[in-house]
Amino acid sequence: MKSTIGYRLSEIEQEAIAIFYPWIFKGFQCFKPETGHELAITSLLLGLCGGHKPWQDDPVLRVNAMGLSFPNPVGIAAGFDKNALVISPLARLGFGAVEVGTVTPRPQIGNPKPRLFRLIEDGAIINRMGFNNDGINRIVARLERMRASKGSLKTTANIPVGVNIGINKVGADPEKDYPFLVGKVQDYADYIVLNLSSPNTPGLRDLQHPSRLRGILAAIKDQYPHHPPLLVKLAPDLEDKEVEGIVETVIDAGVTGLILTNTTITRSDDLQGAFRYEPGGLSGRPVRQKSTEMLARVARLSKNQLTLIGCGGIETGADVIDKIMHGADFTQVYSALIYEGPGLVRRIKKEIVEILNREGIQNIVQLKGVAL
Ligand SMILES: Cc1cc2nc3c(=O)[nH]c(=O)nc-3n(C[C@H](O)[C@H](O)[C@H](O)COP(=O)(O)O)c2cc1C
């Protein structure tokens, strides 16, 4: 079958790519990491992405959260499709949701290269991309075109689409910029995420502090009271006391949920990769436990008053189940996709279904919070 842009792979071809990805990845390693990312986006744009239909997922994987239905609990985290270029191809890889962005008010080129590093021995990535993106107007125009051609964004991708928003490095005014961005995307997003946690925009993480957060949330509510579900994405490096204040603030402000977590600025002693001391945010395997601990802490504090998305270090079906058992409604993955390639989501879903069937569990939702 042909996609609107190019060739779409048959099941057998997809299978072949999944099997040969370790060699393809070795080939990608000849390129700088960012070139590898650009090649991945181009391949997806060309339609080299499979023809998975999300709603054919096993019903045991189905999840409802924030008033939205997800065919499975594994979404692609923000930062992969920063410019909303490959929403439908990512859906056809089998993800249960796509989050685009981070999008800022004005376009920006991000930090100087190199700014993306593979720590292969650690199953990790360090990035200091610095919100390189096309800016809100171009991205909204792209979302609008998608919607115009298919009736709605959701029918285009067939799964929920979130838009992750942030501020520019220079000339930002967070109390004005976040409401402005919410106003721009509210007609196109199934949910909106305030990114207050990337370590690569100076001062951004200070906005997690309740005194700043409260002002930003109040300004959004004041100007756009009927916005779609709103989530806040947090860093894994917050102190327990800070987390308590944030949870209280977001519940008071009527926020729908939290994403736990973004990348970490800490570096444990056991990291092996040659680039381990590069400045930036560390993601992948080394952040898994830290993120899950924070998820569990937030789940205990919020007592089912928030939707929680678990993100950080997911590589297997068991990792997804672990996040859900520690309070997540839904999960997201990024770094493992870089290492494993397009077969990742299918493998993770297969593993979840096997575990659930083995344990006689009817739906993954039954496991929510059982480890707390
Ligand atoms: C190269 C790269 C770029 C990222 N860019 C963003 C971003 O723009 N906005 C954001 O909220 N998170 C961004 N993230 C963080 C991821 O969304 C995710 O929270 C983090 O990587 C932890 O998940 P993982 O361990 O599965 O990668 C980025 C991560 C990577 C590796």
Side-chain angles (χ1 to χ4, degrees):
M1 209 198 312
K2 282 274 204 190
S3 75
T4 45
I5 303 167
Y7 184 69
R8 195 180 297 172
L9 296 176
S10 70
E11 285 284 326
I12 295 169
E13 287 164 328
Q14 285 168 52
E15 205 64 56
I17 287 197
I19 291 167
F20 289 113
Y21 190 81
W23 287 279
I24 299 173
F25 178 72
K26 288 234 165 6
F28 270 27
Q29 279 176 258
C30 305
F31 298 105
K32 295 190 178 115
E34 204 165 336
T35 313
H37 180 78
E38 282 155 14
L39 277 174
I41 296 281
T42 308
S43 312
L44 288 169
L45 268 174
L46 288 171
L48 300 176
C49 54
H52 178 83
K53 296 190 178 64
W55 294 99
Q56 288 176 348
D57 279 336
D58 192 313
V60 297
L61 296 172
R62 236 164 249 179
V63 169
N64 292 311
M66 311 185 271
L68 301 167
S69 297
F70 301 84
N72 69 71
V74 191
I76 173 82
F80 183 85
D81 188 10
K82 285 179 185 282
N83 292 316
L85 287 168
V86 287
I87 295 175
S88 301
L90 285 168
R92 292 202 298 271
L93 281 189
F95 285 106
V98 176
E99 190 173 308
V100 300
T102 295
V103 190
T104 56
R106 284 165 284 111
Q108 68 182 19
I109 55 170
N111 289 324
K113 296 178 187 175
R115 53 192 181 178
L116 184 59
F117 305 89
R118 301 186 191 107
L119 279 66
I120 297 174
E121 299 87 337
D122 307 296
I125 303 284
I126 290 179
N127 93 83
R128 50 169 181 271
M129 305 296 287
F131 292 168
N132 51 312
N133 78 105
D134 290 343
I136 194 67
N137 287 339
R138 282 183 68 189
I139 287 164
V140 163
R142 220 163 265 152
L143 296 175
E144 177 135 47
R145 272 201 301 279
M146 269 182 77
R147 198 172 66 171
S149 68
K150 304 279 170 140
S152 86
L153 258 191
K154 226 164 157 182
T155 36
T156 313
N158 239 315
I159 50 172
V161 176
V163 181
N164 178 307
I165 55 178
I167 51 171
N168 287 103
K169 187 171 182 180
V170 179
D173 184 346
E175 281 77 2
K176 284 202 178 119
D177 291 346
Y178 280 105
F180 165 77
L181 291 164
V182 168
K184 286 275 186 181
V185 301
Q186 63 172 356
D187 291 340
Y188 306 98
D190 293 313
Y191 69 90
I192 299 173
V193 180
L194 307 190
N195 181 2
L196 307 179
S197 45
S198 285
N200 305 310
T201 297
L204 185 77
R205 286 175 305 150
D206 298 341
L207 304 178
Q208 297 173 115
H209 192 276
S211 60
R212 295 299 300 275
L213 183 55
R214 206 171 291 125
I216 294 168
L217 295 174
I220 293 171
K221 202 168 183 178
D222 195 38
Q223 292 172 47
Y224 300 102
H226 306 298
H227 58 70
L230 190 70
L231 297 116
V232 177
K233 185 165 177 179
L234 300 181
D237 306 320
L238 294 160
E239 301 291 332
D240 288 4
K241 266 267 159 274
E242 293 176 299
V243 176
E244 278 172 35
I246 293 169
V247 169
E248 210 178 293
T249 305
V250 295
I251 291 175
D252 280 355
V255 161
T256 308
L258 294 173
I259 302 187
L260 301 312
T261 66
N262 213 313
T263 56
T264 177
I265 54 168
T266 62
R267 302 287 187 266
S268 63
D269 293 338
D270 53 2
L271 287 177
Q272 303 293 317
F275 297 112
R276 60 191 182 278
Y277 297 123
E278 285 291 340
L282 174 74
S283 57
R285 200 177 301 148
V287 84
R288 185 191 309 144
Q289 195 183 340
K290 205 174 165 75
S291 295
T292 305
E293 280 167 10
M294 184 149 159
L295 166 70
R297 198 175 312 136
V298 168
R300 285 195 191 94
L301 289 166
S302 59
K303 301 190 178 75
N304 283 325
Q305 295 174 83
L306 296 171
T307 294
L308 303 180
I309 299 185
C311 179
I314 289 175
E315 296 176 293
T316 65
D319 295 338
V320 171
I321 290 178
D322 191 55
K323 296 272 186 206
I324 290 177
M325 286 170 65
H326 284 91
D329 293 276
F330 187 77
T331 67
Q332 293 179 330
V333 48
Y334 186 162
S335 300
L337 181 67
I338 297 180
Y339 285 107
E340 186 165 337
L344 173 82
V345 208
R346 270 191 307 157
R347 177 183 58 79
I348 289 182
K349 289 191 295 190
K350 191 164 157 270
E351 289 169 358
I352 300 174
V353 172
E354 277 166 12
I355 296 172
L356 296 184
N357 287 344
R358 198 169 58 231
E359 301 296 325
I361 293 160
Q362 313 275 303
N363 185 282
I364 192 156
V365 175
Q366 287 171 246
L367 294 176
K368 193 187 158 192
V370 299
L372 293 173

